[in-house]
Amino acid sequence: MTDVTVLGAGPAGLAAALELAESGVSVTVIEQQNHVGGNATSFDFGGVHVDYGSHRLHPASPPQVLERIRSLLGEDLLTRPRHGRIRLMGRWIHFPLRPVDLLLRMHPRFATGVGIDLTRKLLPGRKTNGVDPTFATILEQGLGKTICNEFYFPYARKIWGIEPEEISPIQAYKRVSAGSIGKMLKRLMPGGGGGGGASTKGIFYYPRYGFGQISQALLAAAIKAGAKVHLGTSVSRIRLSGERPVVEYRKDSETGEHETGQVYSTIPVTLLSKLVDTNVPDNVRAAAESLEFRSMVLVYLLLDQDHFTEYDAHYFPGKDYPFTRISETKNYSDRSEPAGRTSLCAEVPCFIDDTIWKATDDQLARRVSEGLELAGLPITSNILEVRVKRIPFAYPLFTVGYEEQFSTLDQWVDGLDGILSFGRQGLYVHDNTHHAIYMAQAAVECLRPDGSIDRDAWHAQRKIFETHVVED
């Protein structure tokens, strides 16, 4: 029987385990944490199901991914209206953007600037040539200075911690689906909503008991199909010197090893390069060391009130606010329980070991409270509890020139017989959960009956992965 060991029990790893087990493959999943889901998990906070930041399942999800999730969740997969807003130049604007709301609430200076930028784009001879493209140059050429300077650039500085000019142009293609003023305006019109048409514009799918319910359902189905899942278990080494890969692991104070036919890795590819017990060329080691991740601190406040606002999420591009987004998970679902309690989650980007990462829970809660008051959203009820989650690998950091370094590492990993790396962390990408599950399904399709990987088919799938655009 073909056997596969999956490293990591996030959505990609669990989806792969389920597909493999259902196809008759013997599957073992190894997860370092004591829970599944990775960054796409949920937990109980004072009776409120809260997520690791703001998560949604988007209508842009591939049909086969939606079909799989619907088959697992049934009526618990809800169709919900998007109802957020952005703090822009001291004013609140609905998000997703609405034409009427823009007309009534947009700051006149912002509207005038966008109009001037659009006029300039229509004039001949405005294109720039001979300049190396960056996130900044591509967005400014497509969207104009006003949208960039007032929204995208401040937001980028907060999310990634570097200047827009230091960010790779790939980030513009991966994160900004409306790459021109014309496209942005078109998306505001009826039927202009991102490929799904008017029927899916302004909606999202969400599990009734938190986004982590997707991972829990994948876990239960994978185990039912025969997969073995080991939580709280860390991989210490992967030996490739024999006929079959051997995964060495540690759980608590005990060590062990597991021989396998293939290793499907969804852990950070930079970490994977350090675990493989084989000759790693110096240029590959250097490439792995050069690739960075942006970290995130999530600050949760449990409040003794039914709802904080009517909105599911608030976005804050301005530099005066310490967070990029505040989400109220209770508003994502259709549940009213628990009565008289709600929870806020503040997303605060940082780097490991900087002052934000090292701050105490009380210090972080105070920063969040002060930021909300500055935005005109003071907390007037009692804060019943504060909880903080620290995510070391929140986003890959796409600095200018990272592509060459990643390519060096990626090609080396791709050449390792017995290992396939995929998922957000495994391919160093900013993809959504539906993209991760799609990758997992593709990885399973590329497994031959004899247990080998069809690399040509996998490379063809990789071309599809490159077209993924992140949905916010």
Side-chain angles (χ1 to χ4, degrees):
M1 177 186 290
T2 303
D3 56 320
V4 174
T5 298
V6 178
L7 306 185
L14 291 172
L18 173 56
E19 301 285 343
L20 289 166
E22 287 187 341
S23 64
V25 175
S26 176
V27 185
T28 300
V29 180
I30 298 177
E31 167 58 48
Q32 180 175 341
Q33 301 295 325
N34 289 313
H35 60 81
V36 301
N39 295 342
T41 191
S42 302
F43 62 94
D44 182 273
F45 184 44
V48 183
H49 293 279
V50 296
D51 303 329
Y52 275 43
S54 175
H55 288 277
R56 298 178 176 87
L57 189 65
H58 297 278
S61 301
Q64 65 269 33
V65 173
L66 272 177
E67 181 181 351
R68 168 58 89 177
I69 295 174
R70 282 196 177 108
S71 71
L72 295 173
L73 297 186
E75 294 182 357
D76 278 350
L77 186 63
L78 310 173
T79 300
R80 300 289 293 161
R82 293 203 65 170
H83 190 42
R85 57 182 182 174
I86 299 172
R87 186 71 170 172
L88 190 61
M89 298 180 71
R91 300 191 177 195
W92 290 111
I93 298 177
H94 193 275
F95 187 80
L97 300 176
R98 294 173 176 173
V100 174
D101 190 72
L102 283 172
L103 290 173
L104 295 177
R105 300 181 184 276
M106 185 186 300
H107 196 288
R109 182 160 56 87
F110 186 83
T112 301
V114 171
I116 292 173
D117 292 339
L118 180 58
T119 301
R120 286 175 175 170
K121 281 182 61 64
L122 297 176
L123 297 176
R126 299 297 301 181
K127 293 188 179 295
T128 58
N129 296 308
V131 178
D132 291 335
T134 66
F135 175 87
T137 59
I138 288 177
L139 286 193
E140 190 167 300
Q141 183 174 341
L143 298 176
K145 291 185 176 181
T146 304
I147 294 175
C148 289
N149 291 336
E150 299 296 340
F151 178 70
Y152 277 111
F153 290 175
Y155 210 60
R157 291 186 184 98
K158 289 172 69 173
I159 290 180
W160 294 298
I162 57 179
E163 289 298 315
E165 293 79 11
E166 301 175 80
I167 302 174
S168 166
I170 288 180
Q171 191 66 265
Y173 305 131
K174 295 288 287 184
R175 292 285 301 190
V176 185
S177 56
S180 70
I181 296 179
K183 289 180 181 179
M184 184 170 285
L185 293 175
K186 184 179 179 180
R187 284 165 64 94
L188 294 176
M189 298 299 106
S199 63
T200 59
K201 187 178 179 181
I203 68 166
F204 65 100
Y205 304 119
Y206 190 79
R208 178 170 279 117
Y209 299 101
F211 197 79
Q213 189 178 356
I214 295 175
S215 295
Q216 291 295 333
L218 288 169
L219 172 66
I223 292 175
K224 183 178 180 180
K228 298 177 181 178
V229 181
H230 301 280
L231 302 180
T233 305
S234 59
V235 176
S236 53
R237 186 166 62 162
I238 303 171
R239 302 203 308 266
L240 298 177
S241 54
E243 293 184 2
R244 285 159 54 90
V246 175
V247 178
E248 298 182 6
Y249 60 87
R250 175 183 296 274
K251 182 176 176 62
D252 299 325
S253 59
E254 298 181 3
T255 60
E257 59 182 45
H258 178 72
E259 185 180 287
T260 188
Q262 289 286 343
V263 175
Y264 272 22
S265 176
T266 67
I267 65 176
V269 65
T270 51
L271 174 60
L272 177 65
S273 69
K274 298 176 182 179
L275 295 175
V276 176
D277 183 21
T278 187
N279 180 37
V280 182
D282 290 342
N283 66 323
V284 173
R285 292 185 186 277
E289 290 294 332
S290 71
L291 298 176
E292 298 179 84
F293 286 85
R294 185 68 160 155
S295 304
M296 181 84 73
V297 171
L298 303 176
V299 184
Y300 299 88
L301 306 179
L302 184 65
L303 309 180
D304 68 342
Q305 60 187 99
D306 210 35
H307 293 275
F308 183 66
T309 71
E310 65 183 81
Y311 299 94
D312 49 37
H314 296 78
Y315 297 82
F316 298 87
K319 62 182 177 62
D320 294 331
Y321 309 103
F323 35 72
T324 53
R325 180 166 51 189
I326 298 283
S327 54
E328 188 172 358
T329 316
K330 193 175 179 182
N331 293 346
Y332 282 52
S333 183
D334 66 348
R335 301 180 70 238
S336 58
E337 303 88 358
R341 285 190 178 187
T342 191
S343 174
L344 304 181
C345 175
E347 300 174 33
V348 188
C350 61
F351 287 109
I352 289 180
D353 291 334
D354 67 11
T355 55
I356 292 175
W357 184 266
K358 293 179 179 179
T360 67
D361 292 5
D362 287 343
Q363 289 172 333
L364 291 167
R366 186 162 54 252
R367 286 173 63 93
V368 170
S369 298
E370 291 171 351
L372 286 171
E373 186 167 0
L374 180 65
L377 295 172
I379 296 175
T380 57
S381 61
N382 294 322
I383 299 178
L384 302 175
E385 186 179 347
V386 175
R387 193 172 301 182
V388 174
K389 300 286 186 179
R390 290 173 172 80
I391 303 176
F393 302 106
Y395 301 112
L397 192 58
F398 287 179
T399 54
V400 170
Y402 94 94
E403 301 94 331
E404 182 178 350
Q405 299 301 322
F406 172 70
S407 178
T408 297
L409 176 60
D410 182 50
Q411 289 180 26
W412 179 78
V413 171
D414 189 55
L416 295 175
D417 189 28
I419 292 182
L420 190 68
S421 182
F422 62 95
R424 279 175 53 104
Q425 312 284 17
L427 292 182
Y428 198 71
V429 290
H430 282 180
D431 285 354
N432 298 113
T433 296
H434 64 268
H435 295 135
I437 295 176
Y438 177 88
M439 288 186 207
Q441 293 175 335
V444 174
E445 290 175 1
C446 293
L447 183 69
R448 295 190 178 109
D450 65 359
S452 63
I453 299 295
D454 185 339
R455 292 287 173 177
D456 289 337
W458 178 245
H459 295 158
Q461 289 291 343
R462 290 286 300 271
K463 293 294 184 183
I464 297 175
F465 301 163
E466 293 174 4
T467 66
H468 291 169
V469 175
V470 177
E471 302 283 342
D472 286 317

